[in-house]
Amino acid sequence: MDIIDYCIELKSDAEPASGFGTQLIDALLPRDVKGRVILPSTHIKGVMRENLEELSGTIVPGEAIAELFGREDDAAGLFHIDNATAPLEADVLDITRTRLNPYGVALEGSLRTSEAVAAGTVFKGTIRPRPGLSKEYQDLLKLGLLTLFAVGGGRNRGSGACLVTLENEERTPGEIIRELSRIDFKNLPAIRDIDEPDVNFIDDRILLKLVFKAKDPVCVPETPIVKNNMIVSGFSISASAVQGAILHRINDISNKTATACYNSSSFRAWPLNPANSEDALSLRVSFTHKVSKLKSEETGNYHFEDETVRPYDWDKIPSHSPLKASDGVLLVDGGGVKLWKSSDMARMITAHGVHNGDRDGSEKRRNLFTVEALAPKIFTGIVSMPKTGAEILIKSLESNPFMQFGKSRSVRGGGLLSVEKIDFNALPLMQQYEQDTFIVQSPLLVPLAFVTKPVEDILSLMVADAGFGEVDKCSGTVSIQFGWNRTVNNGFVGAQPVIVPGAVFKLKSCVENLEQKLITGIGTGRESGFGAVLPHPGVAERLFPEDPKPRVVKKTDGNYGQDGFELWKKAREGNLSASQISRIRELTGLDPQAAISYLQRQKQERPETIWERWQGVTGEIEIGILENPEHMKKVLKVCQDLLVADKGES
């Protein structure tokens, strides 16, 4: 697989704002889960596209750019781009600005402070073209990168000027343009045709364990966008997403094999769930699994219960610590069962303001939205496949393990997928518990004739119809499954009533021919990922991560809010302006000694009327900077904000 590694070196300070701020900083820099400053992949992709669209109609047709980057109704595109990441030690500074009226006086309420990353910082990133993408289209990607002359906000004011270099690429943008100008893109397919191999399809069932190591945040929504225009990811990569990704990979090699796999009764995908290691297998549980809020004084551990698996032992439940329902996954690795609560899984939130321009003749508009994605981690799961499809998948992943899952796959959801042939009966969860209790892992399609019945009756009827046997007790929830994916002939899949993942049912007797029952699943829609269940491994024994240590919060050196309020009263008496306080605060963050020198110049070099304004606060500010510049910077920010809000400020 061709990979384009690139570096972006800043030639001026850049402000790639995250869309979020605090009381002290109006615009924060975007960072990854390790705290490193990043240039978001969405931003880089957008600027690249803008640069190439300026060439549309002269060097390259707009249709080729749309195919490469993705159209509005098909946003995947033909490549994947990671966030460009700076070193952990990258220099970060604060920049404060204000707007002036025609008389040169700061406009009230216009003062803003933004984080910026310093000139000289080098960001590194990677673009992974889709397998088979032609050299000419890859050159378009390289041209889009090499014409990236500025990043972040304020590019028209000189912020974020940059120089891009590509590994193993010596051509200049002009040389690439000359080569591309000779290409007839209208008659050039973006993806090279690959001769489909002759395949003798064997339908023998193979079980594979999947391990996905995400490199990017993963967003797999489970509910539609609500009024606040926020896209929220679930914590599982759904079975339908797993199945779709696998079929697409096989289809790139052999369309006939992919079609045969899709139609095979041996093909069954389960979701990929977050796991604490490659060896673990995790199962999604719902709010039937409960955990005490506090540790038991007797055992020193939390108390776990699931009423479907076993009756509550009320004598063991701490009276002062009621049970709390938890959504999450059960981790099974042969060393006991752990509960990883959804609320303990790290998320990443990003804000976006996308200007769609007038592409394809549409009206110009700005699309503002927020994405909450699951932070990069290990996901594990299993899939049953016909032997021929499994062998093609294994060989393909050996040469190119990169896969993408979820929404906006050109900028999210990328990672490395590995597979391993396993025996169903060797799975730890098959050894953990009697095989009479099961957890629903992907939605169960509810027949329309059942929708008016209680959920217990619906689940009991569906389990019996699937041949699992008679249900002793069960617990679950009926909801609506929204169609995120589209089909070739029928458009988006319509909303359908389902029993949601995490439902639990206990049978009156163990299941015969269990492996075949699990692959067949419950209900219809196996070919779309519905109906997957797995044996329940038993009630959790402890939490994951292990019980966190009490959080230690350093005592702050004084109350900067109160100190800032007191400083504001003195500054107001001296008639100091917010912009004057802003200047000393900015210098304090950059170089405390420069801030002190600035204060001294107010007395030695400025008119007496200016010194009279500073006289009442200079000594206090100097002492504060010398003793604790970080604390003093916060004090000055509070003072500055109060001066801005003060209606009596001149």
Side-chain angles (χ1 to χ4, degrees):
M1 177 184 181
D2 297 318
I3 295 178
I4 303 173
D5 291 319
Y6 63 91
C7 293
I8 300 176
E9 181 181 358
L10 296 182
K11 297 301 181 180
S12 65
D13 300 339
E15 300 175 56
S18 65
F20 301 99
T22 67
Q23 291 181 340
L24 297 176
I25 304 294
D26 296 292
L28 294 171
L29 289 171
R31 291 176 168 85
D32 63 12
V33 291
K34 297 180 180 178
R36 299 174 297 185
V37 180
I38 62 172
L39 293 176
S41 53
T42 49
H43 172 67
I44 298 174
K45 180 184 175 185
V47 179
M48 287 172 58
R49 184 168 190 164
E50 286 180 5
N51 292 345
L52 291 177
E53 284 178 340
E54 291 182 2
L55 304 174
S56 177
T58 56
I59 304 299
V60 58
E63 181 65 21
I65 298 173
E67 184 173 7
L68 180 62
F69 283 83
R71 299 174 180 82
E72 188 173 350
D73 60 346
D74 181 20
L78 301 178
F79 65 95
H80 177 90
I81 180 170
D82 297 330
N83 295 325
T85 307
L88 189 60
E89 64 274 10
D91 290 334
V92 173
L93 53 144
D94 294 340
I95 295 179
T96 300
R97 297 187 182 91
T98 189
R99 292 179 60 192
L100 302 179
N101 64 17
Y103 305 101
V105 179
L107 288 174
E108 184 176 337
S110 66
L111 196 66
R112 285 181 57 83
T113 299
S114 302
E115 276 191 324
V117 59
T121 302
V122 176
F123 293 83
K124 294 184 178 181
T126 300
I127 288 182
R128 292 176 172 83
R130 180 175 164 182
L133 186 67
S134 68
K135 176 185 179 300
E136 293 77 10
Y137 275 84
Q138 291 189 41
D139 281 348
L140 272 180
L141 289 176
K142 293 179 179 180
L143 180 61
L145 281 171
L146 291 173
T147 54
L148 203 69
F149 301 126
V151 292
R155 298 193 296 278
N156 60 340
R157 299 193 304 268
S159 295
C162 65
L163 175 66
V164 178
T165 56
L166 309 182
E167 188 173 324
N168 300 321
E169 180 55 72
E170 302 297 331
R171 291 175 297 173
T172 66
E175 290 171 337
I176 296 177
I177 287 176
R178 282 197 295 272
E179 292 182 19
L180 293 177
S181 65
R182 297 191 290 266
I183 304 299
D184 180 11
F185 279 94
K186 292 183 179 180
N187 296 308
L188 175 70
I191 303 297
R192 298 188 299 267
D193 291 332
I194 300 175
D195 293 333
E196 182 169 339
D198 293 329
V199 176
N200 179 26
F201 187 79
I202 301 174
D203 201 21
D204 293 350
R205 187 166 62 229
I206 299 292
L207 187 69
L208 300 176
K209 181 179 178 182
L210 311 180
V211 176
F212 178 63
K213 297 178 181 178
K215 297 174 64 66
D216 308 315
V218 178
C219 183
V220 185
E222 295 181 340
T223 56
I225 299 174
V226 291
K227 291 183 179 179
N228 61 3
N229 215 22
M230 185 166 185
I231 302 172
V232 180
S233 176
F235 58 86
S236 293
I237 299 175
S238 64
S240 59
V242 174
Q243 189 164 295
I246 288 174
L247 288 174
H248 273 92
R249 174 59 72 95
I250 296 174
N251 187 71
D252 288 341
I253 300 168
S254 171
N255 175 268
K256 293 179 181 178
T257 303
T259 301
C261 284
Y262 179 78
N263 294 323
S264 171
S265 60
S266 297
F267 192 39
R268 157 69 68 188
W270 284 263
L272 286 168
N273 291 316
N276 58 324
S277 71
E278 297 181 38
D279 296 331
L281 186 66
S282 59
L283 290 81
R284 183 163 184 168
V285 290
S286 67
F287 294 104
T288 59
H289 220 87
K290 297 178 172 61
V291 57
S292 60
K293 284 189 169 185
L294 302 174
K295 283 186 174 183
S296 168
E297 295 179 358
E298 296 180 1
T299 64
N301 195 9
Y302 293 94
H303 192 79
F304 301 89
E305 286 292 354
D306 188 327
E307 60 186 346
T308 308
V309 178
R310 66 187 184 197
Y312 284 0
D313 188 346
W314 292 103
D315 293 335
K316 293 183 179 180
I317 300 175
S319 58
H320 65 288
S321 179
L323 295 176
K324 183 179 180 180
S326 294
D327 198 9
V329 297
L330 293 179
L331 301 172
V332 186
D333 57 7
V337 181
K338 308 180 190 73
L339 173 65
W340 191 357
K341 296 190 292 185
S342 170
S343 58
D344 290 334
M345 298 175 192
R347 265 81 169 178
M348 292 187 67
I349 299 178
T350 52
H352 304 268
V354 180
H355 186 203
N356 290 324
D358 55 358
R359 296 180 186 123
D360 302 326
S362 59
E363 296 181 0
K364 292 184 178 181
R365 62 190 186 278
R366 183 171 291 279
N367 184 17
L368 302 174
F369 63 98
T370 304
V371 176
E372 179 187 293
L374 205 62
K377 52 176 49 68
I378 294 174
F379 296 81
T380 62
I382 55 176
V383 62
S384 169
M385 296 182 62
K387 181 179 179 180
T388 303
E391 290 176 346
I392 289 177
L393 178 65
I394 292 171
K395 186 175 180 180
S396 174
L397 291 175
E398 286 175 349
S399 61
N400 174 22
F402 188 79
M403 291 281 279
Q404 301 141 272
F405 294 99
K407 187 175 179 62
S408 301
R409 291 188 295 277
S410 65
V411 291
R412 297 186 189 90
L416 304 179
L417 181 68
S418 61
V419 297
E420 175 190 4
K421 293 181 181 180
I422 57 173
D423 186 339
F424 227 125
N425 293 321
L427 290 172
L429 66 92
M430 301 291 283
Q431 315 297 327
Q432 295 290 117
Y433 202 71
E434 292 184 13
Q435 294 170 3
D436 61 356
T437 308
F438 298 85
I439 307 178
V440 173
Q441 294 297 287
S442 67
L444 308 185
L445 281 175
V446 176
L448 293 180
F450 291 178
V451 293
T452 58
K453 300 178 180 294
V455 63
E456 292 81 6
D457 292 348
I458 296 174
L459 190 51
S460 296
L461 289 169
M462 293 185 68
V463 169
D465 287 348
F468 277 75
E470 188 176 355
V471 171
D472 181 23
K473 52 185 176 179
C474 60
S475 177
T477 302
V478 173
S479 184
I480 298 297
Q481 171 77 41
F482 291 88
W484 291 100
N485 296 326
R486 60 177 65 85
T487 60
V488 175
N489 299 319
N490 302 317
F492 281 103
V493 177
Q496 301 168 94
V498 297
I499 293 177
V500 300
V504 180
F505 61 91
K506 184 179 178 66
L507 304 173
K508 292 186 176 180
S509 59
C510 293
V511 180
E512 296 181 1
N513 196 10
L514 176 60
E515 182 176 341
Q516 182 58 53
K517 293 288 195 307
L518 294 176
I519 292 170
T520 303
I522 295 175
T524 59
R526 173 200 52 77
E527 66 283 355
S528 299
F530 292 101
V533 301
L534 284 174
H536 198 303
V539 180
E541 300 171 2
R542 56 188 183 276
L543 287 178
F544 177 84
E546 298 294 341
D547 184 31
K549 297 179 180 179
R551 185 179 179 185
V552 178
V553 180
K554 281 188 176 181
K555 183 180 179 182
T556 58
D557 297 328
N559 185 331
Y560 65 83
Q562 181 63 39
D563 293 346
F565 179 77
E566 296 298 330
L567 182 64
W568 164 71
K569 290 194 296 184
K570 296 175 184 178
R572 185 174 61 167
E573 290 175 2
N575 206 24
L576 277 171
S577 69
S579 59
Q580 288 173 306
I581 293 295
S582 170
R583 178 56 177 161
I584 192 65
R585 183 179 72 86
E586 181 179 359
L587 288 171
T588 301
L590 294 173
D591 182 357
Q593 189 56 51
I596 292 175
S597 298
Y598 174 83
L599 289 172
Q600 292 172 349
R601 289 198 302 272
Q602 306 310 302
K603 181 178 181 180
Q604 299 167 359
E605 302 176 9
R606 303 300 301 277
E608 187 174 347
T609 54
I610 298 296
W611 168 244
E612 287 176 353
R613 293 187 178 190
W614 282 102
Q615 190 172 8
V617 298
T618 300
E620 179 180 337
I621 294 176
E622 283 187 356
I623 294 173
I625 293 173
L626 288 170
E627 292 182 349
N628 190 337
E630 286 300 318
H631 173 72
M632 197 63 209
K633 188 169 68 169
K634 296 179 181 179
V635 171
L636 290 166
K637 173 61 174 173
V638 173
C639 175
Q640 172 188 330
D641 289 344
L642 291 172
L643 287 174
V644 170
D646 189 354
K647 301 300 182 181
E649 180 187 358
S650 59

